[in-house]
Amino acid sequence: ESGARRLWNGGLGSSSRCLGMLECYHLMRDSSEFTPELHSKILKIFLGHSRYIYDNHVQEYSPSNFQATAACWLVTAGIMLPEFTESGQWLKTAVERLKERVDRNFEPDGAQIEQCPQYHLAGMRDLARPILLMQLNDCDAVSGDANLWQKLRQIFEYPVRIAHATGHFGLFNS
């Protein structure tokens, strides 16, 4: 694939695009400029992207960092777009992938497996956002998992442990 088709069909691009668009949509949806037709078009974009991501990027665990962003979006869609009949399945599957990612993409000391601070920070973002959203919306899909929370603690403390006294990370890997 090439050109626009390749860009649209990228799990990272589709997921990132939707995360940003949903924030904008929620800020502007009550505007008088948002006609029913515009609402419908935007919701169709979310639905199409979510179906594509679900069908092509989260059915099985992948070590790719892109899957973290895809799972982040599907948790978001599953909670914030309950009008879609698939939203419950998106949420369930995305939570499974996020839990797998915590287990398989981070070392016991909390370091991301690629040993790259930037990937580590991106991985933290793609875990924190959906977990916070789940907590704010009384979704208890992860709340009772003590092992998960212990590992998350290691993951989120890791950048502090490797930072220089100046607060910067060393320049290593990627």
Side-chain angles (χ1 to χ4, degrees):
E1 294 179 359
S2 63
R5 180 167 170 75
R6 187 182 77 218
L7 290 176
W8 190 93
N9 282 342
L12 179 62
S14 295
S15 303
S16 297
R17 186 170 30 258
C18 284
L19 287 162
M21 283 178 58
L22 186 63
E23 290 176 1
C24 295
Y25 176 69
H26 277 279
L27 288 172
M28 298 184 295
R29 68 183 174 179
D30 294 328
S31 166
S32 61
E33 300 297 316
F34 269 56
T35 63
E37 294 80 19
L38 182 56
H39 281 286
S40 179
K41 285 179 183 180
I42 292 171
L43 291 173
K44 284 179 183 178
I45 290 170
F46 291 140
L47 180 61
H49 277 55
S50 298
R51 285 177 173 168
Y52 166 77
I53 292 163
Y54 179 79
D55 290 343
N56 295 285
H57 296 286
V58 298
Q59 290 301 310
E60 296 179 356
Y61 166 81
S62 165
S64 168
N65 293 319
F66 295 175
Q67 189 181 63
T69 308
C72 178
W73 164 248
L74 287 179
V75 167
T76 304
I79 291 173
M80 300 299 292
L81 300 170
E83 58 266 52
F84 297 138
T85 57
E86 299 104 315
S87 65
Q89 187 58 45
W90 296 339
L91 177 61
K92 180 180 180 287
T93 301
V95 167
E96 290 170 7
R97 292 299 89 77
L98 288 175
K99 287 180 177 182
E100 286 176 312
R101 299 193 68 71
V102 167
D103 187 50
R104 297 169 71 173
N105 282 61
F106 293 89
E107 303 290 348
D109 68 351
Q112 202 269 352
I113 59 174
E114 294 185 51
Q115 301 294 311
C116 172
Q118 185 59 38
Y119 286 159
H120 188 94
L121 295 174
M124 286 173 45
R125 176 203 62 215
D126 288 337
L127 292 170
R129 183 182 187 136
I131 289 171
L132 179 60
L133 187 61
M134 284 186 274
Q135 288 186 325
L136 291 172
N137 288 277
D138 298 321
C139 175
D140 63 357
V142 298
S143 60
D145 189 336
N147 291 333
L148 174 71
W149 286 100
Q150 180 57 35
K151 183 80 177 260
L152 287 169
R153 181 180 194 96
Q154 290 295 106
I155 292 167
F156 281 83
E157 288 177 351
Y158 182 79
V160 175
R161 290 195 309 270
I162 68 165
H164 290 222
T166 63
H168 295 91
F169 297 121
L171 301 175
F172 57 92
N173 211 6
S174 292

